Structures are given as C-alpha cells and as structure tokens.
C-alpha cells in the first residue's frame, strides 16, 4: 500500500503522463515528496503558474500527449488561467492537478480557501472533479487522463485535498483504454467530393490536427488534385511550414483582409476548425466573415480522426499519392513550398530585418514559438521557403504564451532547437519562464523585438474609431519611460543575454546563439512604427499578425486605413 500521492504518481507514469510542470505550495508537499521514488516523472519547476500552464500547452502541441501541471489551491489556478484559456482554444490534452485544503479543514474558511471547481470550469468545462478518498484517487486520475486525451483532447482538472494525498492505502491502477476517433461520415465525404469536382471556386480551411503531419500533406494532395485553395485558421496551435510542405495561407487577423481573402469563393470546407469570425466586434463591421453566397461544409470536427477523414476525401477525389514539388497539373496550386533563398536582412535593424534574418538562419527542424505580434508580421512570408519547421501561435489570443510554450516545446522535443520570437509587451507577462529555461538548460533562443510599445493596441485604438484619443490615451500603450532592459532581466534570470541595435549585430548574435546549446536571449531594439495618434508605417501595420501576400495587403489598404 502507498500514500495517495505515491500511487497517483505511479498511475500517471503508467498512463504515459511523464512530465509535470510545477508551482507547488503546502497542500502539494506530499506529491513533491513522492517524486524521488518515481524517477520516470520529469518534474519541471516554474516560478509562476502561468508558466506551468503555458509550458504544458506547448508540450502537448508537440507530442499530442498530456503533461500535468501541479498548482496550489484556487489562487494558484487563477494565476495560470490565461494560458489555460490558450490551451483550451488550442484543443490540447492537459491535466491540471490542483492541491486543496484537507477536507476536515475546509469548514474553517482559512485564508486560501476558495471555490476551485467554479474557477476551473472556465477553462476545463468538460471535466472537473474533486477527489474524495485516498482509495479512489487513482481511479479519479485515470478518468481524468482519459478525459484529457479524448477524443476530443481537452483540459481535465483533478483537485486533490491534502488529506487524500497523504492518506494511506492507495494503489496505482492501469490506464483506461482510449476511445478511437472515427473518420468523417461517408455521406459527408461524398457531398464534399461533389463540391470539389463541380468546378466552383472552393477553399479548404484547415485547423487543429489538419495543419501538421500526414493530415497536412494529404490536404496538399487534395489541393493538387482539385485546385482547391488551402487556408489555415488565423492562430494555429501548430502549423508545419517550409520547403517541401503544402502552401497554406493563414486567414488574416483583420476582418477587412479576410473579406479580401475569401472574396469570390463559392464553397468553404472546414477541416477541424470553425468558420472564421472577427477577433473583436467593431463599429459598423461584420462579425461573421464568410462571404455572402459562400456555402460552408464541415468535413470533420475535433471529435473525428482528422488524418483519416482527409485520407478518405483524397481517395474520393482521386488525389495522387505523390506529387512533384513545384510541378502540379496545369492551373492548379503548387504542391509544396520551394526554397526561397531568403537572405539575412541588411541596413538598419527593423522588425522586418529581424524577421528576415531569423528566416534565413532558421535551422532544419526548428520550432518557432511566435508571439511577436505586430513586429513579427513579415516572418511568415519570409520563412515560407525556409527548412521545414513548426510554428506555434497565440491560439487563444491571451498574451504571455510565447515564452512558456517555448519551454514546453523544448521539454517535449529536446533534440530540436526552439526559437521564441517574442514582443516586448507580451514577454513581460511571463518573463519568469527565462529562469526555467536556464534551470533546465533548454535549447531555446529568445528574440525580444523591443519597440517599446503595445503596437497592436495602437492599431486597435484607431480601428475602434477612437479618433479623439490624445496623449493620455496613447500613453497607456507606451512601454518607454523607463525603457525595459531585457539584457538585465535575462541575465538576472540566468539566461546569457545580449542586445542588438544593428542588423549586422543581430545576425552575428543569432548565429552564435543557434550554434551554442542552451538558452540565449537577444534583445533586438527596433524603432516604433507608431507615434502619438498617427501610424508612421501603415502597410507594416496592415500586415500585422498574418501571412498575407503583399499584393493582397495592398489591395485592402484603403479599406482598412483609419
């Protein structure tokens, strides 16, 4: 017989949950004490719960398996909520383990007492349970793991009172069998085959599991066979990109750009995603972004086997098993990205020269955690022909994800270099992630694009037609006075850090960082593109946060300009 905590850890490891991102407190000490006899569990200490939850998200995006978090009571869960929101929107499997007061202590309403279940349901709406007995704790754990794995993958939250954790008499149990995901219904396959073969302008909008692995390559074969256009949802949890992979154009962030992207399409086929909607509501602008007259078809949902559904559709349309890159049938879309010969940027250090330099030096198999926001707007176009790589984006829109997701990705894939392309404002939400990078000696290169401004909010201030905004309003979006010193911050948290003020400096520093294992930070000081109430560089702002081709950005310039 074992304590509840000991049996819980053995049960987790037996079910393949071998990584736990922790920020423990008193109620979790028996779980912590039980780690030594279970060396198969990799416990990763974080200095903020938001780093733990974001890292678990990044780990799941790259492995498809749940990691656990270990959080302290309701306030600890509260500190991790923003990145749990992102994980829920990314549709990843994730297991929260949250310590609670001993059951007999609850009636005394001690200072840290709170309603954890109510808080948890905001980000874990499908499965929340409080363990009530040491003897049944491990069965609760297997139920939680099964719920997290799905289908569909979800966040499951298991609350463990301290006396349940320290109680004796628990035994580990075997994992529950996981239900297989079914492919799309044959009738749906037939309907969409008819649409694709009717000669209409048709697009496939890919999301979730359709944007990497076999599923993405199958979607490329379907595009070659039918001439369908491939789009990706605006903020994919994970998208494979680069040479040899299908060309996929991300849906834009701005609604006006989406209207231009989807104009003229008669059919839109959704693959593990939903129809595009505006990120926010704006005065006089639409929320639902599918063009009038365009019919929407759902190939598969998150409960389905996405790869099998696409494979069935590929067979139905007679898609070739292999395609020759760059030589599709006449009039059809290219099968794959071709090497673009991107060169490092030159001249003054700007957001664009940073993006082009990162793209030019991107190692084969790199993982890019992209939270550069406005400053990273040109990275997608610059890196289209780079060596194959994965990009993890801000799936839920809550900033502060980029650094923790990079931690999780590096833990998940220790043999792959990770680059965190990070904006200055969002970096400060979870800057504590740098310490975990150093503590674990993770191979992560952090690039902070420091323009001393919440750039995207300067755009949004004008887009909501706040024309009367004056200096007091714009001061709320200014990150200068005092300037953030990321070299000091990174060094203080244990990460070797340098500052670039020229493109030549940045290219040399990035090359050195990528060549040397372990964490590094480069603060790239770039000019603001916004001053006061006026945009100095409107085309730059127009392309913020998506990979629209330059001609399309130009076509909608007048529509989006304030």
């Amino acid at each position: 017989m074992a304590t509840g905590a000991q049996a819980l850890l053995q049960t987790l490891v037996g079910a393949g949950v071998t990584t736990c991102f922790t920020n423990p407190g008193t109620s979790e000490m028996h779980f912590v004490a039980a780690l030594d006899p279970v060396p198969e569990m990799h416990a990763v200490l974080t200095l903020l719960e938001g780093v733990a939850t974001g890292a678990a998200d990044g780990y799941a995006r790259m492995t498809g398996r749940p990691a656990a978090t270990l959080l302290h009571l309701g306030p600890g869960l509260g500190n991790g909520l923003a990145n749990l929101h992102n994980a829920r929107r990314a549709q990843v499997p994730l297991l929260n383990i949250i310590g609670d007061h001993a059951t007999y202590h609850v009636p005394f309403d001690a200072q840290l007492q709170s309603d954890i279940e109510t808080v948890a349901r905001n980000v874990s709406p499908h499965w929340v349970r409080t363990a009530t007995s040491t003897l049944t704790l491990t069965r609760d754990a297997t139920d939680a793991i099964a719920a997290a794995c799905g289908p569909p993958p979800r966040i499951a939250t298991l609350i463990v009172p301290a006396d349940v954790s320290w109680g004796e008499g628990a035994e580990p149990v075997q994992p529950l069998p996981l239900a297989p995901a079914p492919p799309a219904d044959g009738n749906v396959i037939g309907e969409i085959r008819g649409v694709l073969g009717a000669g209409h302008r048709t697009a496939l909008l890919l999301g979730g599991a359709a944007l990497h692995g076999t599923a993405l390559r199958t979607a490329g074969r379907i595009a070659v066979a039918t001439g369908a256009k491939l789009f990706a949802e605006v903020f994919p949890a994970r998208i494979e990109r680069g040479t040899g992979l299908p060309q996929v154009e991300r849906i834009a962030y701005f609604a006006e750009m989406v209207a231009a992207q989807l104009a003229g399409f008669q059919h839109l086929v959704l693959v593990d995603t939903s129809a595009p909607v505006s990120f926010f509501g704006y005065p006089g602008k639409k929320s639902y972004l599918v063009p009038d007259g365009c019919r929407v078809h759902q190939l598969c949902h998150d409960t389905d086997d996405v790869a099998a559904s696409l494979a069935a559709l590929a067979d139905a349309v007679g898609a070739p098993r292999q395609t020759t890159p760059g030589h599709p049938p006449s009039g059809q879309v290219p099968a794959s990205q071709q090497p673009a010969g991107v060169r490092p940027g030159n001249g003054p250090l700007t957001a664009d020269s940073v993006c082009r330099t990162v793209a030019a030096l991107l190692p084969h198999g790199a993982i890019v955690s992209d939270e550069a926001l406005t400053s990273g707007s040109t990275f997608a176009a610059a890196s289209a022909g780079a060596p194959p790589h994965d990009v993890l984006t801000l799936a839920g829109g809550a900033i502060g994800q980029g650094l923790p997701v990079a931690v999780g990705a590096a833990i998940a894939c220790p043999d792959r270099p990770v680059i965190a392309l990070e904006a200055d404002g969002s970096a400060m939400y979870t800057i504590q992630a740098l310490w975990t990078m150093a503590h674990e000696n993770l191979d992560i290169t952090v690039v902070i694009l420091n323009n001393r401004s919440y750039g995207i909010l300067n755009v949004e201030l004008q887009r909501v037609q706040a024309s009367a905004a004056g200096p007091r309003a714009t001061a709320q979006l200014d990150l200068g006075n005092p300037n953030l010193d990321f070299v000091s911050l990174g060094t203080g948290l244990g990460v070797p850090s340098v500052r670039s003020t020229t493109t030549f400096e940045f290219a040399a520093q990035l090359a050195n960082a990528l060549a040397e294992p372990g964490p590094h930070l480069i603060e790239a000081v770039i000019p603001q593109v916004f001053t006061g109430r006026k945009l100095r560089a409107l085309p730059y702002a127009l392309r913020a946060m998506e990979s629209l081709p330059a001609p399309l950005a130009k076509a909608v310039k007048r529509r989006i300009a304030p």
Side-chain angles (χ1 to χ4, degrees):
M1 295 290 186
T3 67
Q6 291 166 344
L8 173 58
L9 273 164
Q10 293 166 7
T11 297
L12 294 176
V13 168
V17 181
T18 58
T19 300
C20 183
F21 298 96
T22 77
N23 189 274
T26 303
S27 300
E28 298 76 48
M29 285 300 101
H30 287 84
F31 186 102
V32 172
L35 286 168
D36 283 294
V38 189
E40 300 89 346
M41 176 61 76
H42 183 188
V44 180
L45 178 61
T46 68
L47 302 185
L48 178 74
E49 294 88 340
V51 176
T53 55
D57 179 8
Y59 179 94
R61 293 190 196 196
M62 294 309 302
T63 65
R65 304 192 311 272
T69 67
L70 183 65
L71 309 177
H72 183 45
L73 298 155
L77 171 62
N79 284 342
L81 280 180
N83 277 329
L84 287 173
H85 164 82
N86 289 328
R88 181 174 71 88
R89 288 295 185 176
Q91 295 182 305
V92 298
L94 191 155
L95 173 61
N96 285 320
I97 299 172
I98 304 173
D100 196 5
H101 287 302
T103 54
Y104 62 81
H105 194 63
V106 170
F108 296 99
D109 194 26
Q111 283 84 348
L112 280 170
Q113 181 67 36
S114 65
D115 184 350
I116 302 174
E117 288 196 3
T118 295
V119 176
R121 285 194 179 93
N122 287 279
V123 292
S124 180
H126 302 286
W127 203 96
V128 177
R129 183 182 298 175
T130 299
T132 58
S133 166
T134 300
L135 300 180
T136 57
L137 173 59
T138 52
R139 180 54 64 194
D140 293 332
T142 57
D143 289 346
I145 294 165
C149 292
R154 290 169 170 166
I155 299 173
T157 300
L158 178 61
I159 302 164
V160 184
D163 54 335
V164 171
S165 187
W166 75 54
E168 301 280 349
E171 292 185 351
V173 296
Q174 294 299 309
L176 296 173
L178 300 180
D185 181 84
N187 292 330
V188 172
I189 297 290
E191 173 196 335
I192 295 174
R193 177 191 61 192
V195 167
L196 290 168
H200 301 142
R201 277 198 80 197
T202 302
L204 272 62
L205 177 56
L206 311 178
L211 287 170
H212 55 86
T214 302
L216 174 61
R217 290 155 179 80
T218 304
R221 293 196 292 116
I222 293 169
V224 168
T226 65
K229 171 81 174 179
L230 296 182
F231 288 110
E233 56 193 354
V234 58
F235 285 131
R238 174 186 175 189
I239 179 170
E240 278 192 85
R241 306 184 72 249
T243 303
L245 292 162
Q247 292 189 30
V248 184
E249 181 180 311
R250 278 172 61 183
I251 290 291
Y253 174 77
F254 294 125
E256 296 91 335
M257 286 183 164
V258 181
Q261 284 179 294
L262 299 183
F265 282 98
Q266 298 163 288
H267 297 274
L268 184 65
V269 178
L270 306 179
V271 186
D272 198 13
T273 191
S274 53
V277 298
S278 177
F279 219 70
F280 298 101
Y282 298 97
K285 300 184 186 299
K286 291 182 177 181
S287 295
Y288 184 69
L289 302 182
V290 176
D292 294 340
C294 179
R295 289 187 57 197
V296 175
H297 312 263
Q298 187 85 49
L299 174 65
C300 54
H301 300 270
D302 57 5
T303 55
D304 298 325
D305 185 326
V306 177
S309 300
L310 283 166
L313 181 59
D315 289 343
V317 300
R321 288 291 174 183
Q322 292 184 340
T323 59
T324 303
H327 297 86
S330 177
Q332 297 179 355
V333 297
S336 59
Q337 296 285 358
Q338 299 301 302
V342 177
R343 297 180 180 179
N346 50 46
L349 189 64
T350 64
D352 180 61
S353 68
V354 168
C355 290
R356 287 191 290 119
T357 302
V358 173
L361 299 182
L362 200 64
H364 188 282
I367 302 168
V368 179
S369 177
D370 180 7
E371 195 180 31
L373 305 176
T374 52
S375 294
S377 62
T378 61
F379 175 72
S383 59
H389 60 280
D390 283 281
V391 178
L392 315 179
T393 76
L394 191 59
I399 65 173
Q401 170 193 288
L403 297 180
V405 161
V407 167
I411 295 286
C413 304
D415 57 337
R416 297 178 63 178
V418 177
I419 297 174
L421 201 58
E422 186 69 35
D424 51 348
S426 53
M428 291 304 298
Y429 277 61
T430 47
I431 196 71
Q432 301 90 335
L434 296 177
W435 183 88
T436 300
M437 295 179 192
H439 185 64
E440 294 284 326
N441 194 33
L442 301 177
D443 192 12
I444 301 174
T445 299
V446 177
V447 177
I448 306 285
L449 292 105
N450 187 0
N451 63 5
R452 298 170 181 149
S453 172
Y454 282 124
I456 184 58
L457 295 183
N458 280 280
V459 179
E460 295 289 7
L461 186 65
Q462 297 198 24
R463 283 174 54 73
V464 299
Q465 299 177 6
S467 56
R472 292 181 63 200
T474 55
Q476 303 308 302
L477 314 179
D478 184 358
L479 299 182
N481 190 30
N483 292 331
L484 295 168
D485 184 348
F486 285 98
V487 172
S488 295
L489 288 167
T491 301
L493 289 165
V495 175
S497 302
V498 294
R499 178 178 292 114
S500 297
T501 57
T502 69
T503 299
F504 179 82
E505 276 184 327
F506 177 73
Q509 290 167 354
L510 180 61
N512 289 338
L514 293 173
E516 181 178 285
H520 298 82
L521 183 147
I522 305 170
E523 178 186 9
V525 180
I526 58 176
Q528 291 190 26
V529 295
F530 310 101
T531 56
R533 292 166 57 191
K534 272 198 156 184
L535 294 178
R536 290 174 53 201
L538 181 60
Y540 175 87
L542 286 174
R543 299 179 66 193
M545 301 168 64
E546 74 287 275
S547 57
L548 287 182
L552 183 55
K554 184 177 179 180
V556 296
K557 179 176 178 180
R558 291 190 180 89
R559 300 179 64 179
I560 197 172

